[in-house]
Amino acid sequence: MVTIKDIAERAGVSRSTVSRVLNHSGYVSEDARKRVEKVIEETGYVPSEYAKSLRTKKTKVIGVILPTIQTETPSRIVTGLGRELSKHGYQILLANTDHDKEKEMEYLDLLKVRQVDGMVLIATNTEPELLQKMKKMDIPIVMIGQEAEDIVHVTYDDYHVARDLTRYFINKGHKKIAFIGVDETDRAVGYLRKKGYYDEMAAHGFPVEEEWIQQGIFDIDSGYEAMEKIMTRSQVLPTATFAVTDRLAIGAMSYLKKHGVKVPTDMAIAGIGASEISQYVDPPLMTVDYQNEKAGEEAAKQILAHINSKVFQKKIVLDYRLIERNSV
Amino acid sequence: MVTIKDIAERAGVSRSTVSRVLNHSGYVSEDARKRVEKVIEETGYVPSEYAKSLRTKKTKVIGVILPTIQTETPSRIVTGLGRELSKHGYQILLANTDHDKEKEMEYLDLLKVRQVDGMVLIATNTEPELLQKMKKMDIPIVMIGQEAEDIVHVTYDDYHVARDLTRYFINKGHKKIAFIGVDETDRAVGYLRKKGYYDEMAAHGFPVEEEWIQQGIFDIDSGYEAMEKIMTRSQVLPTATFAVTDRLAIGAMSYLKKHGVKVPTDMAIAGIGASEISQYVDPPLMTVDYQNEKAGEEAAKQILAHINSKVFQKKIVLDYRLIERNSV
DNA sequence: CTGTTAGCGCATTCAA
DNA sequence: TTGAATGCGCTAACAG
């Protein structure tokens, strides 16, 4: 392996001088620089990143903890993160928890051991121990998708999205609106979206039947099952359904299609997430664009600002956009 | 920052002894070990991974270069890679080229600078310069998805998949079969799948009309457009269409639905990839399962074997499985 | 069983 | 403008 010492010798200068031309720091004569650059060119020398890290205490690596990479939201976020980080010479060290909450905590430690300069957590829950642990980290950290006191975070306005979407149904004349949600330990997706729905219904004085409220997990099948429950158990059938993710909505539509329920005439339906497929289902699914890539970019900017001791925002709430389509 | 030196002092031993208990190497008295462990516990000390790397020349990091993380194939592969690698204490350093071939080359260098122990390339092309560069790398490297001499790779049997699928159509009575492919610089997806199709058609003596052969990119829209061309330009309309990816197939189905062409009665259709959505489109799309996660796991195993100087296979071809559904 | 010593590759004083 | 010296935190002989 060729090191800075070899370059120095072959160029007839000291290691310090090589270091200087490498880092464009300090004074180096035109002559010496030329010689060093020539030798570097010839040898194909590349400085050792970890030796550098040992000195500078910087790794130029950001750890990213996520629940899965197989759904569109996190993968879009990672794309945004990567795009912004690579502009500044940072790389992403991936930590996939596979929806295992224990691993979330483990990876926090592991990434610290790896001496990452910062961490981004794509969060699915806000359990106290997790937040506690994050606060104790002496590494810049940004959470995406969930809100929390004292932790820098980038979120969506889940509550108002839910109110807006519910109101959209109502403006279209619907009064009996069902809801397919997820577990409330996911505060953003599970709790806030449900609360927005309830509050908007209440604001209009519309009652909500217990059977209209169903819960799934983050896949298509559970959307199917949720809709099945809604259709088979409700005393009064709803005329619209608000699903908190596109996949749930698509599963629900799948049930409706199978049982001859027409969308949107018999049942209007909308999701959230602007998944690619949403515009190709039949009818095209109304949804909400959350700008996930931008979330990733924003998180990257904040963490870089933090690392470089610049001012950063503790809380960023991103815009959203309803995408009106024929399913409503 | 607390270092090995601090631990040594507080435990009243030498740094070597601390190192020994850390690495479970050499002999350490029960007494000394206890004291050291206690101090580590108290201080929350974690060894610096990069200082360790500087000594051992191992980083326990595998670089992964991929064209995008937003489609199911690469994200499943990464999931498989991550699962296997994490078992052995390795992490993934992500390098997303965003379909930019130049970045593919750049990242090869960058990851080397990062001193990764190995690299995995999820390949979309086999351009000579790229292969050349990979061969010159003195780091273990595995390519996934494309075949190449002298480079360790994990691939699918794209040629026979295409023949099987084409034969499946033929066995169902189809003779006029259209084909939606992609650019042939992608040898596996573009060239081999097309060749399999042509060869199988030829084997049965079925002519292929020029207009039946259309090309898209890796998205749904281009599948729509390709089908539009097939339906509007063909002298003789085909009765079946083989699309090389599910997304192309779904785009094609979207066109057919819009123009009242019934699937599968007027037009049978199949894709490749076993995307999650394939079973929820109407009718469910026939496709081929490629076991992407397993590909990731296999690649991980090979690269770990390589790193640890164990025997590894230079070439792995994975199994596939036709998933029969109502679109054919 | 344990401590001493050396050095991995680099950036950064400090003198010259 | 340059070089010598130092040390980042760790592991690995080696000698005891």
Side-chain angles (χ1 to χ4, degrees):
Chain A
M1 180 183 192
V2 35
T3 73
I4 199 172
K5 195 176 153 218
D6 303 322
I7 305 299
E9 283 170 3
R10 293 183 56 152
V13 298
S14 73
R15 295 177 319 195
S16 332
T17 302
V18 177
S19 178
R20 284 189 195 100
V21 347
L22 247 26
N23 298 294
H24 308 284
S25 63
Y27 297 102
V28 177
S29 66
E30 207 37 42
D31 184 47
R33 153 167 290 117
K34 282 271 163 58
R35 288 211 308 284
V36 170
E37 281 170 349
K38 185 156 171 289
V39 176
I40 288 177
E41 177 72 20
E42 287 167 6
T43 55
Y45 162 76
V46 285
S48 158
E49 204 64 28
Y50 50 67
K52 198 187 291 187
S53 294
L54 185 59
R55 278 294 323 219
T56 61
K57 304 292 169 205
K58 301 236 173 253
T59 55
K60 291 262 187 175
V61 171
I62 302 294
V64 176
I65 301 177
L66 37 71
T68 174
I69 204 177
Q70 308 233 28
T71 51
E72 284 177 272
T73 298
S75 56
R76 285 173 178 168
I77 291 173
V78 171
T79 300
L81 276 169
R83 177 153 51 231
E84 184 65 24
L85 290 176
S86 68
K87 282 185 198 163
H88 304 274
Y90 283 77
Q91 292 290 126
I92 288 177
L93 197 65
L94 208 63
N96 186 341
T97 69
D98 210 9
H99 292 288
D100 182 341
K101 286 183 187 172
E102 302 217 346
K103 280 197 183 161
E104 220 162 33
M105 308 278 278
E106 281 174 32
Y107 278 136
L108 242 29
D109 285 326
L110 180 63
L111 290 176
K112 183 172 176 185
V113 172
R114 292 282 188 179
Q115 329 285 148
V116 296
D117 290 346
M119 301 184 11
V120 174
L121 175 68
I122 301 178
T124 59
N125 72 85
T126 48
E127 314 235 316
E129 313 104 278
L130 179 67
L131 298 182
Q132 211 50 46
K133 197 175 180 78
M134 289 173 68
K135 279 183 207 161
K136 280 189 189 146
M137 290 271 144
D138 46 355
I139 297 178
I141 181 165
V142 172
M143 181 162 69
I144 299 181
Q146 303 282 346
E147 205 167 346
E149 281 289 310
D150 303 328
I151 293 181
V152 181
H153 59 271
V154 176
T155 56
Y156 311 102
D157 193 349
D158 288 287
Y159 176 75
H160 285 104
V161 166
R163 288 202 67 149
D164 283 4
L165 211 44
T166 308
R167 192 177 324 113
Y168 187 90
F169 281 123
I170 291 171
N171 288 343
K172 286 277 184 177
H174 295 281
K175 295 180 176 172
K176 295 170 289 181
I177 305 171
F179 177 88
I180 303 177
V182 297
D183 191 279
E184 295 190 20
T185 57
D186 185 329
R187 187 173 164 84
V189 183
Y191 175 75
L192 289 175
R193 292 185 192 174
K194 181 187 276 187
K195 181 161 167 51
Y197 156 80
Y198 270 122
D199 287 0
E200 189 65 25
M201 290 296 274
H204 290 265
F206 296 159
V208 170
E209 271 202 31
E210 193 183 327
E211 290 78 14
W212 295 351
I213 309 298
Q214 296 297 335
Q215 193 169 107
I217 54 177
F218 286 93
D219 69 4
I220 297 178
D221 269 347
S222 66
Y224 182 100
E225 289 160 14
M227 183 54 91
E228 183 169 34
K229 287 179 191 159
I230 290 171
M231 297 303 282
T232 55
R233 297 183 185 177
S234 299
Q235 305 291 316
V236 180
L237 284 182
T239 62
T241 300
F242 168 15
V244 297
T245 74
D246 280 3
R247 304 171 99 202
L248 288 172
I250 287 169
M253 283 176 71
S254 167
Y255 175 88
L256 296 174
K257 172 158 292 175
K258 187 167 176 187
H259 292 80
V261 182
K262 296 275 178 255
V263 175
T265 44
D266 299 341
M267 176 74 86
I269 187 160
I272 292 179
S275 61
E276 188 191 16
I277 195 67
S278 65
Q279 58 185 306
Y280 295 100
V281 292
D282 179 37
L285 177 67
M286 172 155 184
T287 183
V288 182
D289 182 12
Y290 259 24
Q291 311 182 79
N292 300 121
E293 292 197 19
K294 186 161 177 218
E297 287 173 11
E298 284 298 330
K301 282 179 189 167
Q302 297 313 308
I303 206 135
L304 290 176
H306 196 160
I307 289 170
N308 299 313
S309 309
K310 294 186 182 159
V311 289
F312 57 91
Q313 294 172 256
K314 295 218 64 161
K315 177 187 168 92
I316 290 182
V317 179
L318 291 174
D319 245 10
Y320 56 88
R321 185 173 58 89
L322 299 202
I323 302 177
E324 301 177 40
R325 297 218 187 95
N326 293 336
S327 67
V328 176
Chain B
M1 181 184 191
V2 34
T3 73
I4 200 173
K5 196 176 153 216
D6 304 322
I7 305 299
E9 284 169 2
R10 293 183 55 154
V13 296
S14 74
R15 295 177 323 202
S16 335
T17 302
V18 177
S19 177
R20 284 189 196 99
V21 347
L22 247 26
N23 299 293
H24 308 284
S25 63
Y27 297 102
V28 178
S29 66
E30 208 37 42
D31 183 48
R33 152 167 292 116
K34 284 269 164 58
R35 288 212 310 282
V36 169
E37 281 170 349
K38 184 156 172 290
V39 175
I40 288 177
E41 177 71 21
E42 286 168 8
T43 54
Y45 163 77
V46 284
S48 159
E49 203 65 28
Y50 49 69
K52 196 187 292 187
S53 293
L54 185 59
R55 278 295 321 223
T56 61
K57 304 292 171 204
K58 301 238 173 254
T59 54
K60 290 259 183 176
V61 171
I62 302 293
V64 176
I65 301 177
L66 37 71
T68 174
I69 203 177
Q70 308 235 26
T71 50
E72 285 177 272
T73 298
S75 56
R76 285 173 178 169
I77 291 174
V78 171
T79 300
L81 276 169
R83 177 153 53 229
E84 184 64 25
L85 290 176
S86 67
K87 281 184 198 164
H88 304 272
Y90 283 75
Q91 292 290 126
I92 288 176
L93 196 65
L94 206 65
N96 185 341
T97 69
D98 211 8
H99 292 287
D100 181 340
K101 287 182 188 174
E102 304 218 345
K103 280 195 183 163
E104 222 162 31
M105 307 278 277
E106 282 175 31
Y107 279 135
L108 241 28
D109 285 327
L110 180 64
L111 291 176
K112 183 173 176 182
V113 173
R114 291 284 189 178
Q115 329 285 148
V116 296
D117 290 345
M119 302 186 11
V120 174
L121 174 68
I122 300 179
T124 59
N125 71 85
T126 48
E127 315 235 315
E129 314 104 277
L130 180 66
L131 298 182
Q132 211 51 47
K133 197 175 179 80
M134 289 172 68
K135 281 183 209 164
K136 281 189 190 147
M137 289 271 145
D138 46 355
I139 298 178
I141 180 164
V142 173
M143 181 162 70
I144 299 182
Q146 304 281 346
E147 206 167 345
E149 281 289 310
D150 302 328
I151 293 181
V152 182
H153 58 272
V154 176
T155 55
Y156 310 102
D157 193 349
D158 288 286
Y159 176 74
H160 285 104
V161 167
R163 287 201 68 148
D164 283 4
L165 212 44
T166 307
R167 192 177 326 113
Y168 188 91
F169 281 123
I170 292 171
N171 288 342
K172 286 276 184 178
H174 296 280
K175 297 180 174 170
K176 295 172 288 181
I177 305 171
F179 178 88
I180 302 178
V182 298
D183 191 281
E184 295 189 19
T185 57
D186 184 329
R187 187 171 165 85
V189 183
Y191 174 75
L192 288 176
R193 293 186 190 173
K194 181 187 275 187
K195 181 160 167 48
Y197 156 80
Y198 269 121
D199 287 359
E200 190 64 27
M201 290 295 273
H204 291 264
F206 297 158
V208 170
E209 271 202 31
E210 192 183 328
E211 291 78 14
W212 294 351
I213 310 299
Q214 296 296 335
Q215 193 169 107
I217 53 176
F218 287 91
D219 69 4
I220 298 179
D221 269 347
S222 67
Y224 183 100
E225 289 159 16
M227 184 54 89
E228 181 169 35
K229 287 180 192 159
I230 290 170
M231 297 303 283
T232 56
R233 297 183 186 175
S234 299
Q235 305 291 315
V236 181
L237 285 183
T239 62
T241 299
F242 169 14
V244 297
T245 74
D246 280 2
R247 305 170 99 200
L248 288 171
I250 287 169
M253 282 175 72
S254 166
Y255 175 88
L256 296 174
K257 172 158 290 175
K258 188 167 175 187
H259 292 79
V261 181
K262 296 277 179 252
V263 174
T265 44
D266 299 342
M267 176 73 85
I269 187 160
I272 293 179
S275 61
E276 189 191 16
I277 195 69
S278 65
Q279 58 184 306
Y280 295 100
V281 292
D282 180 36
L285 176 67
M286 170 155 184
T287 184
V288 182
D289 182 12
Y290 259 22
Q291 310 182 77
N292 299 123
E293 293 196 19
K294 185 159 176 221
E297 287 173 10
E298 283 299 330
K301 282 178 189 167
Q302 296 315 308
I303 206 135
L304 290 177
H306 197 159
I307 288 171
N308 299 313
S309 309
K310 295 185 183 159
V311 289
F312 57 91
Q313 293 172 256
K314 295 217 64 161
K315 175 186 170 92
I316 290 183
V317 180
L318 292 173
D319 245 11
Y320 56 87
R321 184 174 58 91
L322 300 203
I323 301 177
E324 300 177 41
R325 296 218 188 95
N326 293 336
S327 67
V328 176

